[in-house]
Amino acid sequence: MSNEQYDAVVVGCGIAGLAAGIRLAERDCSVVVLEKSPKAHRGGHTRFTESFRIPTADIDLDVEFNVEDYTAADFYSDLMKTTNYRADNDLARTVTEEAADTFEWLTEMGLDWEYQAPHSGYTAGRVWLDGETMIDDLIEYYESLGGEVRYDATVQDVIRADDGSASGVSGFVDGHRVRFEADAVVLAAGDYGSSKEKRTRYFGPGYGNMKVRGSRYNTGEVIESAMDAGAKSDGEWGNAHMAIIDAGSPDIEGGITRIDGYQYGLILNHNGERFVDEGEDSRAHTYAKFGRRIFEQPYHEAFIVVDSKVVDDVAHMGPSRAITADSIEALVRRLDIENPEQAVETVDAYNEACAADAAAAYDPDALDGNAANEVDPPKSNWALPLDEPPFTGYPVTGGMTFAFGGVAITSDGEVLDTTDTVIPGLFAAGNVTGGLFYDNYPGGSGLTNAAVYGRISADTAAEYISETAPRQSTDD
């Protein structure tokens, strides 16, 4: 086994790991980022992302954001409400309060953002990006600061010294065992949702067949190695961000194949029945949980149905073609819904429950209050009758984005052990951690969480290194 020494080692090359690596390099630490994938596939799930939730009202840039008055308090409220107030309060406050500074820090590196929403339905402050380009730009900046990246680096063990502190990691680089010794270790290797075995173990039978939207390399071994070394687990291991995606999406690494705008129409299963309140909330606060509900339907499939009044507000980003017809009966048969007669009855009953003036009050960019309460389930907003042909349908399924379980951390990014004591020298950020997301997920906040805690964990690690290095050199 060969040995290499650094001030800090970062495991993972997505936004969490690169934010940590950049911050450590800015603070004059020698740092290496270990990336499991080959160079051509670097970046983890960040490579496949597209948006970053931010409190636009708290950001001083001469640009026009999609929602100008979205504050850190709004972000915090959305995060807590969406997770049914189960999110760790300290973690949630830190993410939302540090999001603006972190965004401005990233912007100073020259990242290229889009400031206006690509389509209707975005009600929170965001910016948009190309994930692959973001990774390339961040690595270029990181390497300009003297940081190193090692690819094909599979970490198997988190090493702890005799005094209990983290002292490095070991694993294989290009097939050869290497031990990376360091004063601080930052874990940022993502979640376990790309593992068929772990999806089946934590989510249940059938979930091994769920399509994976992001990187094939996020399989959770780093989380397990941390827990083997004494780290405490946290979060909701049996739940995840499972988006509504095109049923024809690739089995893995499909990226952005969502179908947005489902909230303006109906979602039917093969029995011809509705099973969610499509208008419960804005898309960003329902798409991650509705994907799971869809996956649990017969054949792991459902169908979004809209009419010509709202079809232009649907964003179809998947590889399959939309299906159209001049009647609901013809459409549901072309969609191959197993019980087309029930599907027609469901749409007829829904249409009768809609208000006569619903179309006049329709607002795709706000909770418009158009409700259909005399059906089960009710529809709370955007309840417009499907009565203007042509009608359009989209077969959809649920797609794995990332899982909600991980290691426990403090709001300073320090990893806790099973007695809730900080493990000296061990830090974590991003989807390798748990405690922030439960039940559901507010769209665009995962990238924000990873960037914020990548930066915070690096600052805490740099302080730890500066405090311990003199003692260690004296001991030597």
Side-chain angles (χ1 to χ4, degrees):
M1 180 191 301
S2 63
N3 283 19
E4 299 187 22
Q5 292 188 330
Y6 296 85
D7 292 330
V9 57
V10 177
V11 184
C13 192
I15 181 64
L18 291 174
I22 288 168
R23 191 60 174 164
L24 285 160
E26 286 179 340
R27 298 194 56 164
D28 298 322
C29 296
S30 62
V31 57
V32 62
V33 169
L34 304 180
E35 168 66 3
K36 181 181 179 182
S37 78
K39 183 176 181 179
H41 299 281
R42 66 190 183 183
H45 287 343
T46 306
R47 182 182 181 88
F48 301 91
T49 195
E50 67 165 359
S51 72
F52 193 103
R53 185 180 287 229
I54 53 172
T56 53
D58 305 332
I59 293 170
D60 186 19
L61 289 179
D62 187 20
V63 296
E64 184 177 344
F65 291 106
N66 71 307
V67 177
E68 295 282 356
D69 59 351
Y70 191 71
T71 66
D74 294 328
F75 191 173
Y76 173 80
S77 178
D78 281 346
L79 179 54
M80 296 305 292
K81 180 182 177 182
T82 303
T83 60
N84 291 320
Y85 301 92
R86 298 176 66 194
D88 180 280
N89 185 65
D90 290 338
L91 298 181
R93 286 208 176 277
T94 298
V95 167
T96 56
E97 291 174 0
E98 294 296 324
D101 283 346
T102 300
F103 170 74
E104 291 178 348
W105 175 66
L106 292 169
T107 302
E108 290 170 1
M109 299 175 198
L111 294 186
D112 188 21
W113 310 103
E114 292 290 335
Y115 296 99
Q116 288 299 309
H119 52 264
S120 301
Y122 288 95
T123 58
R126 290 206 201 192
V127 289
W128 288 265
L129 59 127
D130 177 80
E132 187 173 349
T133 300
M134 171 187 247
I135 291 295
D136 291 345
D137 290 346
L138 288 174
I139 289 177
E140 181 179 0
Y141 185 78
Y142 166 70
E143 291 180 334
S144 75
L145 298 174
E148 298 179 41
V149 182
R150 304 288 291 277
Y151 300 102
D152 296 297
T154 301
V155 170
Q156 292 189 317
D157 297 295
V158 173
I159 303 166
R160 295 181 69 177
D162 290 344
D163 65 0
S165 64
S167 58
V169 299
S170 68
F172 289 86
V173 179
D174 292 325
H176 300 282
R177 182 172 286 280
V178 181
R179 178 185 178 108
F180 292 89
E181 297 179 351
D183 296 321
V185 174
V186 180
L187 306 178
D191 71 307
Y192 50 89
S194 300
S195 164
K196 285 189 174 184
E197 183 274 329
K198 292 183 178 68
R199 291 200 303 275
T200 304
R201 185 199 313 177
Y202 293 118
F203 308 131
Y207 278 89
N209 298 321
M210 179 174 258
K211 297 174 185 290
V212 175
R213 304 175 68 209
S215 171
R216 69 185 64 229
Y217 299 98
N218 285 32
T219 49
E221 291 83 2
V222 170
I223 299 174
E224 292 180 332
S225 68
M227 293 193 299
D228 288 343
K232 175 185 176 181
S233 68
D234 200 3
E236 189 172 28
W237 286 73
N239 212 338
H241 173 344
M242 304 180 191
I244 300 177
I245 63 171
D246 188 316
S249 300
D251 287 343
I252 197 161
E253 296 182 344
I256 308 302
T257 62
R258 294 193 322 272
I259 299 181
D260 296 347
Y262 58 86
Q263 66 270 36
Y264 309 129
L266 298 182
I267 304 177
L268 306 176
N269 61 18
H270 271 284
N271 297 327
E273 300 169 335
R274 295 173 57 240
F275 51 94
V276 296
D277 174 356
E278 300 90 346
E280 174 187 319
D281 203 339
S282 64
R283 181 206 61 84
H285 297 153
T286 59
Y287 80 116
K289 69 175 183 179
F290 283 180
R292 181 167 193 163
R293 294 291 306 278
I294 289 169
F295 190 78
E296 291 173 346
Q297 301 306 304
Y299 310 109
H300 306 313
E301 188 176 45
F303 306 89
I304 299 168
V305 177
V306 299
D307 72 358
S308 63
K309 294 193 300 296
V310 301
V311 70
D312 289 343
D313 291 323
V314 176
H316 179 203
M317 294 168 274
S320 302
R321 295 182 63 181
I323 296 172
T324 61
D326 289 330
S327 70
I328 290 294
E329 182 177 4
L331 178 65
V332 298
R333 292 187 183 280
R334 289 180 184 176
L335 290 169
D336 289 329
I337 292 178
E338 282 205 336
N339 192 336
E341 295 83 7
Q342 180 59 57
V344 172
E345 290 182 16
T346 297
V347 174
D348 287 345
Y350 164 77
N351 285 348
E352 291 178 7
C354 293
D357 61 348
Y362 172 64
D363 183 352
D365 292 319
L367 301 179
D368 66 6
N370 274 323
N373 293 316
E374 301 304 316
V375 287
D376 185 22
K379 187 173 181 185
S380 301
N381 293 281
W382 308 294
L384 279 68
L386 275 66
D387 58 4
E388 292 188 11
F391 302 96
T392 305
Y394 311 87
V396 291
T397 187
M400 173 59 60
T401 309
F402 66 87
F404 291 162
V407 299
I409 60 169
T410 70
S411 57
D412 290 322
E414 303 156 302
V415 174
L416 297 170
D417 70 13
T418 55
T419 68
D420 288 324
T421 302
V422 168
I423 299 176
L426 188 60
F427 309 88
N431 294 338
V432 79
T433 70
L436 187 63
F437 301 120
Y438 291 84
D439 300 329
N440 193 10
Y441 167 80
S445 57
L447 202 66
T448 310
N449 171 53
V452 166
Y453 272 104
R455 186 186 186 197
I456 286 174
S457 64
D459 275 330
T460 311
E463 293 297 325
Y464 173 82
I465 291 167
S466 68
E467 292 170 0
T468 60
R471 174 181 58 80
Q472 292 175 347
S473 62
T474 300
D475 291 344
D476 292 343

